Amino acid sequence: PDVGSQKERVVTEEEWLQKWEMGNIGFHKEQGHPLLQKYVDVLLNGRSGLKIFFPLCGKAVEMKWLADMGHSVVGVEISEQAVKEFFSEHSLPYCEEPVPEISGAKMFQSTSGNISLYCCSIYDLSSSIVGKFDGVWDRGALVAVNPSDRQRYASLMINLMEKKSSYLLVTVSYDPNKHKGPPFYVPESEIKSLFG
Ligand code: SAH
């Protein structure tokens, strides 16, 4: 299919912050994603105490679910409102601290220590700051990044993965001429070339 119409589209960080302010967050789901429930065994592969990454996390409820299973969860999200709503909606006490390596960034961590949410752009992260992950839950992340940033996003994600990690990716399939996105349509052939 012709994805030309979406290639040039840019959603700025300000626009994302505005969506949160306006409550324009139709992407947020109160129920855990059925595909995570279906494929969680693929993600975990019998392992326990994993370090799991949620890129562009919003206030995804699946973070709480995986943390409750004993894994440690790291998310990144540019909206501080989203991060604070996550902790308050789950009645989780947290503390807040600056991230010395990233100017202006803050890290919000549950008091129990197993959920750490970085409030900054994902492009500011690197494995020297957050380490590497055993698993990734990518829902509303690859499909939300601007098409022109996809290559950079995928290279970063590959860099943040341990050798034996699993990556669950949710994409959407539709006619890209009928909807401007996000979520953007990412053809399977492009996913293959991005991630190899
Ligand atoms: N994964 C979440 C949210 C999807 S919407 C879910 O499943 O509900 C995409 C989110 O990415 C928004 O909350 C937006 O604020 C955030 N975002 C957009 N660009 C970002 C960036 N460069 N770095 C970090 N977060 C970003």
Side-chain angles (χ1 to χ4, degrees), residues 13 16 20 27 56-58 77-78 120-123 139-140 144:
E13 293 191 2
W16 281 109
W20 280 98
F27 51 81
L56 284 68
C57 61
E77 167 58 52
I78 42 165
C120 61
S121 170
I122 188 167
Y123 306 114
R139 182 267 174 183

Side-chain angles (χ1 to χ4, degrees), residues 74-104:
V74 174
V76 60
E77 167 58 52
I78 42 165
S79 166
E80 183 167 332
Q81 179 186 340
V83 168
K84 287 182 166 165
E85 285 180 13
F86 171 79
F87 288 113
S88 66
E89 288 171 13
H90 295 280
S91 308
L92 288 170
Y94 64 91
C95 56
E96 177 179 336
E97 55 188 61
V99 183
E101 299 93 334
I102 312 169
S103 99

Side-chain angles (χ1 to χ4, degrees), residues 8-20 56 77-79 121 123 144-149 181-182 184:
E8 316 290 318
R9 176 145 158 78
V10 171
V11 180
T12 63
E13 293 191 2
E14 288 66 36
E15 288 175 86
W16 281 109
L17 298 182
Q18 223 163 27
K19 284 180 200 282
W20 280 98
L56 284 68
E77 167 58 52
I78 42 165
S79 166
S121 170
Y123 306 114
V145 305
N146 292 319
S148 57
D149 292 326
F184 297 109

Side-chain angles (χ1 to χ4, degrees), residues 18-76:
Q18 223 163 27
K19 284 180 200 282
W20 280 98
E21 273 165 41
M22 309 286 285
N24 224 334
I25 52 163
F27 51 81
H28 176 70
K29 301 292 175 218
E30 293 296 335
Q31 299 293 318
H33 202 290
L35 288 171
L36 180 56
Q37 317 212 338
K38 184 169 176 193
Y39 291 107
V40 68
D41 292 340
V42 176
L43 182 65
L44 304 177
N45 197 15
R47 304 167 298 173
S48 54
L50 299 188
K51 197 172 153 187
I52 298 177
F53 187 46
F54 279 66
L56 284 68
C57 61
K59 53 175 181 177
V61 300
E62 295 84 3
M63 296 194 284
K64 172 81 167 49
W65 191 59
L66 284 166
D68 285 346
M69 288 171 71
H71 304 289
S72 99
V73 167
V74 174
V76 60

Side-chain angles (χ1 to χ4, degrees), residues 171-187:
T171 61
V172 285
S173 185
Y174 65 90
D175 180 348
N177 296 302
K178 294 196 172 144
H179 176 64
K180 64 184 162 81
F184 297 109
Y185 170 62
V186 187

